[in-house]
Amino acid sequence: MVYSKDGSLSYFIKRFDRYGKGKKYATEDFAQLTGNSRDTKYRFTMEKIVNVIDEFCTFPAIEKADFFKRVLFCFITGNEDMHLKNFSLITKGGKTTLTPVYDFLNSSIAIKNPEEEIALSLKGKKSNLKKTDFINYYAKERLSLTDKTIDKIIGDMYKYLPEWKALVEISFLSDDMKEKIKCSECEFCNSFRPYGNSRASFRCKHPDQHYIFDYFQEHRMSKDPGFLDYG
């Protein structure tokens, strides 16, 4: 965001699929890769995406871990509009990988009563998703991720929660929108107190956060290197 002379703001972004003068990296979104269009970009499943990664990526195992991180991040931050055109592959230096992220935003806050939690169905549903749907079913069974990889992904998200809160506070969102993202009345969200201290039985009621906290408690991850202390 750059301020103009008249005080207005302009948004600049550097395209990841361009380099040099007019040169392009080979880039295709998942709708193109699966023969879908803008009209059918929601008619797909999270399970089928695994096959796309296996077929086109140079190192599928690495990309599947990255993809799970993106899926989990979108769910936690309230992004229920990640359809086929919001995931893409790019080929650079003879290697095909997921592109840098784009369209990662909280779309739920703009909807009065959102009915869905994800854009592409997982286990036959788009709402009422549970921890077991993401961890046991998708991460382990469908993406074949190890416990160590899953713990690292969730640990990194937990570690950066304070920075996430700070970014919300300095964002251009209205105060009402900010309150929809964070729990203003939640003691954990206000202080980011470690789980398991004087309120060991505490459960954050915010739908975008309890998932991570419960996972940490169940896996006793407080002593793992790189993670914030967890009580």
Side-chain angles (χ1 to χ4, degrees):
M1 301 292 287
V2 178
Y3 281 100
S4 302
K5 290 183 178 180
D6 62 359
S8 62
L9 286 166
S10 297
Y11 180 61
F12 289 85
I13 185 171
K14 182 179 180 180
R15 294 189 59 156
F16 54 73
D17 61 340
R18 299 287 192 272
Y19 69 100
K21 293 185 177 181
K23 297 180 180 180
K24 302 178 181 180
Y25 290 113
T27 306
E28 290 186 278
D29 62 46
F30 279 35
Q32 294 172 297
L33 293 169
T34 58
N36 282 279
S37 65
R38 293 184 180 277
D39 296 328
T40 61
K41 61 186 179 183
Y42 293 99
R43 301 175 191 173
F44 213 68
T45 69
M46 297 297 291
E47 290 87 346
K48 291 181 179 179
I49 282 185
V50 180
N51 298 329
V52 178
I53 295 175
D54 280 332
E55 181 178 354
F56 294 103
C57 291
T58 306
F59 301 106
I62 295 176
E63 302 309 315
K64 284 189 279 191
D66 190 359
F67 185 74
F68 177 66
K69 182 190 301 182
R70 300 177 188 213
V71 170
L72 194 57
F73 178 84
C74 289
F75 175 73
I76 293 170
T77 55
N79 185 351
E80 43 72 69
D81 196 40
M82 292 306 292
H83 48 72
L84 287 174
K85 296 194 74 64
N86 282 339
F87 294 111
S88 297
L89 297 182
I90 187 169
T91 300
K92 297 171 63 175
K95 184 172 68 174
T96 300
T97 67
L98 289 168
T99 65
V101 300
Y102 60 94
D103 280 359
F104 271 38
L105 65 155
N106 186 319
S107 55
S108 297
I109 58 174
I111 305 174
K112 187 174 182 180
N113 294 303
E115 297 181 355
E116 297 180 348
E117 297 170 339
I118 57 176
L120 306 177
S121 64
L122 175 64
K123 213 174 181 179
K125 55 186 179 181
K126 294 186 177 183
S127 60
N128 297 316
L129 292 162
K130 301 178 180 179
K131 174 177 55 182
T132 53
D133 296 327
F134 285 102
I135 301 296
N136 297 56
Y137 175 68
Y138 199 59
K140 294 183 179 180
E141 183 178 334
R142 308 300 300 195
L143 292 169
S144 301
L145 302 184
T146 65
D147 287 335
K148 182 178 181 180
T149 298
I150 296 169
D151 288 350
K152 178 64 167 60
I153 290 171
I154 295 180
D156 285 344
M157 290 189 181
Y158 182 83
K159 182 170 60 177
Y160 290 111
L161 275 175
E163 293 186 29
W164 164 80
K165 181 184 179 183
L167 287 172
V168 171
E169 289 298 333
I170 65 173
S171 71
F172 291 95
L173 291 170
S174 65
D175 289 339
D176 288 341
M177 287 293 189
K178 290 178 182 179
E179 294 305 317
K180 288 184 178 181
I181 294 180
K182 65 185 182 67
C183 297
S184 61
E185 302 301 324
C186 167
E187 187 171 352
F188 188 94
C189 294
N190 284 332
S191 65
F192 285 90
R193 69 164 58 233
Y195 216 130
N197 58 8
S198 60
R199 295 187 65 190
S201 62
F202 174 78
R203 289 291 187 279
C204 177
K205 295 181 179 179
H206 193 294
D208 292 340
Q209 296 187 24
H210 78 274
Y211 172 76
I212 286 184
F213 305 148
D214 287 348
Y215 187 90
F216 263 76
Q217 186 182 53
E218 291 176 8
H219 288 72
R220 301 180 180 277
M221 296 166 69
S222 60
K223 296 182 179 180
D224 287 358
F227 294 155
L228 294 181
D229 186 34
Y230 179 69

